[in-house]
Amino acid sequence: MSLTEKQFDVLSAIATEKELLTQRDLTRITGCSLGTVNKSIKELTDAGLLEEGAITEAGIVALEPYRVKRAIFIAAGFGSRMVPITLNTPKPLVRVKGVRIIDHLLDACLEAGIDDIYIVRGYLAEQFDQLLYKYPNIHFLENPVYNEANNISSSVIARSLLSNAYVFEADLLLSNPKIIKKYHYYSDFLAIPVEKTDDWCFVVKNGVIQEEKVGGTDCWQMVGISYWNEEDGKKLEKDIASVYESPGGRERYWEQVPLVYRKDNYKVHVCECSADDIIEIDTLRELKAIDKTYDV
């Protein structure tokens, strides 16, 4: 059966949690009212997708179209604002409190059952081989023009893999792995609701991204993690190549394809997280503030 959004919220929560959830648990997790949760449980039970509050085999099958199939990491860049740390180490491999930045993201993917993982590498590419000792399932994609074009060049290389896929900026320090989810109802971008920001942000209406811009008030600060469903992934495969080959295309950021240059082809939702869940370490000063071992 085709799931409504509320049915999906309830069913995916039940499928993801290891313990049997009460209706009040589901209200807290999904943000739905108790009445909506009760109604959805009844509908799912009547359809054979739940039995005594637990998901059935039919329920797992019903969720399959919404399951994340793979993860793509954009990790080819230099990380110039973290010099001199990045002179000898790609930014995603920099250790924060003893752990490589990218490890937190990779661990969260595996915890969510996402083990088909691709890393697009460029700068000091061979250093990423060290990841294979801990993560032997990783596949590498090579970006030979990482120093001649913006990160759209990495998405061009991975464009055939974007259906039912997460796309990660590989230099985000994750503290809450639960924001990486096994199932998604829509294509979406993680973002943090803020009163004011000077960073990249979204204007959002009814949960859908209307505009991407730099700086704003009462907006959503962009986090470099997104999910693309099967339909949008297929469109991205064509649109990324088209924008890249257009005048000035090599200077674009990859997410500008669905959010700016081909925005009429997509309806991208916002997926809320908080500043406590994940941060981007942009500069050496920010790294020193988090890990005092660099403050020497």
Side-chain angles (χ1 to χ4, degrees):
M1 64 176 282
S2 179
L3 300 173
T4 67
E5 184 176 356
K6 300 304 182 186
Q7 290 170 345
F8 166 83
D9 289 342
V10 170
L11 192 62
S12 61
I14 291 171
T16 302
E17 295 295 325
K18 294 180 174 62
E19 299 178 355
L20 199 62
L21 300 174
T22 67
Q23 292 173 347
R24 294 197 180 275
D25 290 333
L26 289 167
T27 297
R28 173 179 52 81
I29 293 169
T30 65
C32 299
S33 69
L34 188 58
T36 298
V37 167
N38 290 339
K39 180 174 182 287
S40 296
I41 288 174
K42 184 180 186 308
E43 292 168 345
L44 294 166
T45 301
D46 290 345
L49 307 187
L50 290 178
E51 184 176 332
E52 296 183 351
I55 192 166
T56 64
E57 286 297 323
I60 296 294
V61 171
L63 282 173
E64 182 61 19
Y66 309 97
R67 183 173 65 85
V68 182
K69 303 296 195 301
R70 65 188 62 85
I72 314 297
F73 285 81
I74 305 297
F78 172 50
S80 59
R81 289 189 288 175
M82 276 181 56
V83 168
I85 302 299
T86 50
L87 288 177
N88 299 305
T89 306
K91 189 177 174 185
L93 301 181
V94 170
R95 292 182 181 269
V96 179
K97 298 181 179 179
V99 180
R100 292 171 301 214
I101 291 174
I102 197 173
D103 282 31
H104 297 285
L105 295 169
L106 291 169
D107 290 342
C109 285
L110 295 177
E111 180 65 23
I114 308 163
D115 57 10
D116 191 17
I117 297 172
Y118 297 80
I119 296 178
V120 185
R121 61 184 182 175
Y123 174 65
L124 297 177
E126 70 285 350
Q127 289 202 22
F128 285 91
D129 288 345
Q130 66 184 267
L131 293 172
L132 293 171
Y133 292 102
K134 183 179 178 183
Y135 309 103
N137 54 302
I138 286 175
H139 309 280
F140 293 118
L141 302 173
E142 313 299 333
N143 181 352
V145 296
Y146 71 91
N147 60 344
E148 302 170 14
N150 220 319
N151 70 7
I152 191 173
S153 62
S154 290
S155 69
V156 166
I157 292 164
R159 67 188 186 278
S160 65
L161 301 168
L162 296 178
S163 289
N164 298 109
Y166 264 119
V167 178
F168 291 90
E169 292 181 10
D171 56 359
L172 299 166
L173 186 62
L174 180 68
S175 56
N176 179 12
K178 287 192 173 183
I179 66 174
I180 307 305
K181 302 181 183 300
K182 185 174 185 175
Y183 301 103
H184 283 255
Y185 196 72
Y186 299 110
S187 293
D188 56 48
F189 234 106
L190 258 78
I192 302 166
V194 293
E195 293 183 0
K196 184 178 181 180
T197 182
D198 297 324
D199 210 335
W200 286 94
C201 62
F202 303 135
V203 176
V204 175
K205 182 179 180 181
N206 297 326
V208 177
I209 297 172
Q210 307 294 312
E211 179 186 0
E212 180 192 34
K213 61 180 182 176
V214 178
T217 57
D218 296 323
C219 56
W220 293 71
Q221 185 169 316
M222 184 181 89
V223 175
I225 299 175
S226 56
Y227 170 76
W228 304 93
N229 64 25
E230 182 175 10
E231 179 184 356
D232 287 342
K234 290 177 180 177
K235 289 188 290 187
L236 277 170
E237 181 175 1
K238 297 178 181 179
D239 287 343
I240 286 171
S242 173
V243 172
Y244 184 72
E245 293 164 3
S246 67
R250 293 162 65 93
E251 304 306 314
R252 311 301 183 199
Y253 295 106
W254 87 266
E255 79 278 352
Q256 291 178 309
V257 175
L259 298 180
V260 180
Y261 297 105
R262 298 290 187 272
K263 65 182 296 184
D264 291 343
N265 293 345
Y266 302 88
K267 185 177 182 181
V268 185
H269 287 68
V270 71
C271 185
E272 181 175 350
C273 65
S274 77
D276 293 329
D277 293 329
I278 190 167
I279 58 173
E280 181 176 4
I281 304 176
D282 280 326
T283 65
L284 181 57
R285 177 181 293 181
E286 291 171 352
L287 177 62
K288 289 179 177 180
I290 295 171
D291 188 338
K292 298 301 183 183
T293 61
Y294 290 100
D295 194 9
V296 293

